[in-house]
């Protein structure tokens, strides 16, 4: 994108501005979130310190990127996609078995009905539907069409047909988190009632961290009602 803007408007300053802005946004949003979530998983499963885990992931990522280039990044992300999607769907299947299907999840565990609503009333304090629709379109347009990471992967296609096919596959995969992430989170809420008392806005992420990593590390250990 910085190169495109330079060619389009003939401005090195615009190129430098977008490059710096993209780097700052990427570090403080995507990279930090990925390192933190990975550190949480390694802490719960392997007992590693979160900061040590972050350093290990940074060094490991830098090494295979420097050695293998973009091909190494793409093949690594392909493996990660298969692992994450397959693991998420497996957890969803295990969770549905434990809670007795969707009907059991909705009616037997005291899960709030709002957890199953994609579009909530405009008066909802957390996710009003006007804000959700506006933010989703604005954020998705930027991320999927202008973000450097997405554009880089599209431009790495060997042909226009492959680039279009990759975009279609990505759109299909984007639907799966509703099932292998969101529903798994709701099941964690149902299967770990000890965390429900602290399920508030202030410590929501801490509750999810503990519940999801507990399911990943020991899926057979859960609390029945």
């Amino acid at each position: 994108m910085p190169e495109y803007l330079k060619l389009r408007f003939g401005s090195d300053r615009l190129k430098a501005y977008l490059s710096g802005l993209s780097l700052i946004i990427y570090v403080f949003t995507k990279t930090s979130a990925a390192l933190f979530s990975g550190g949480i998983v390694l802490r719960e499963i392997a007992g590693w310190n979160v900061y040590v885990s972050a350093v290990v992931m940074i060094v490991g990522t830098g090494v295979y990127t420097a050695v293998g280039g973009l091909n190494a990044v793409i093949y690594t992300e392909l493996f990660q996609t298969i692992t994450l999607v397959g693991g998420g769907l497996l957890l969803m299947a295990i969770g549905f078995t434990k809670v007795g299907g969707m009907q059991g999840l909705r009616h037997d565990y005291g899960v709030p009905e709002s957890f199953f609503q994609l579009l909530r009333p405009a008066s909802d304090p957390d996710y009003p539907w006007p804000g959700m629709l506006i933010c989703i379109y604005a954020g998705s347009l930027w991320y999927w069409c202008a973000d450097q990471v997405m554009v880089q992967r599209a431009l790495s296609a060997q042909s226009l047909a492959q680039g279009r096919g990759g975009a279609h596959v990505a759109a299909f995969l984007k639907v799966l988190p509703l099932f292998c992430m969101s529903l798994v989170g709701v099941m964690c809420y149902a299967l770990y009632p000890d965390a429900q008392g602290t399920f508030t806005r202030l410590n929501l992420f801490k509750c999810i961290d503990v519940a999801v990593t507990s399911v990943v590390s020991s899926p057979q250990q859960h609390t029945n009602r």
Side-chain angles (χ1 to χ4, degrees), residues 36-126:
F36 177 75
S37 58
I40 291 294
V41 172
L42 290 177
R43 183 192 67 186
E44 296 295 325
I45 296 178
W48 292 12
N49 180 275
V50 174
Y51 298 103
V52 173
S53 302
V55 172
V56 171
M57 288 186 287
I58 291 174
V59 173
T61 303
V63 169
Y64 78 71
T65 302
V67 173
L70 186 58
N71 283 335
V73 174
I74 291 176
Y75 281 112
T76 300
E77 292 192 348
L78 175 63
F79 173 75
Q80 290 175 342
T81 300
I82 296 174
T83 303
L84 292 173
V85 173
L89 293 177
L90 177 61
L91 283 178
M92 182 187 69
I94 294 175
F96 271 134
T97 301
K98 301 301 182 183
V99 301
M102 180 61 76
Q103 292 299 319
L105 180 64
R106 299 191 67 168
H107 302 295
D108 298 340
Y109 287 86
V111 178
E113 188 62 27
S114 61
F115 283 20
F116 302 96
Q117 297 176 354
L118 291 178
L119 295 178
R120 300 184 183 182
S123 59
D124 188 89
D126 297 317

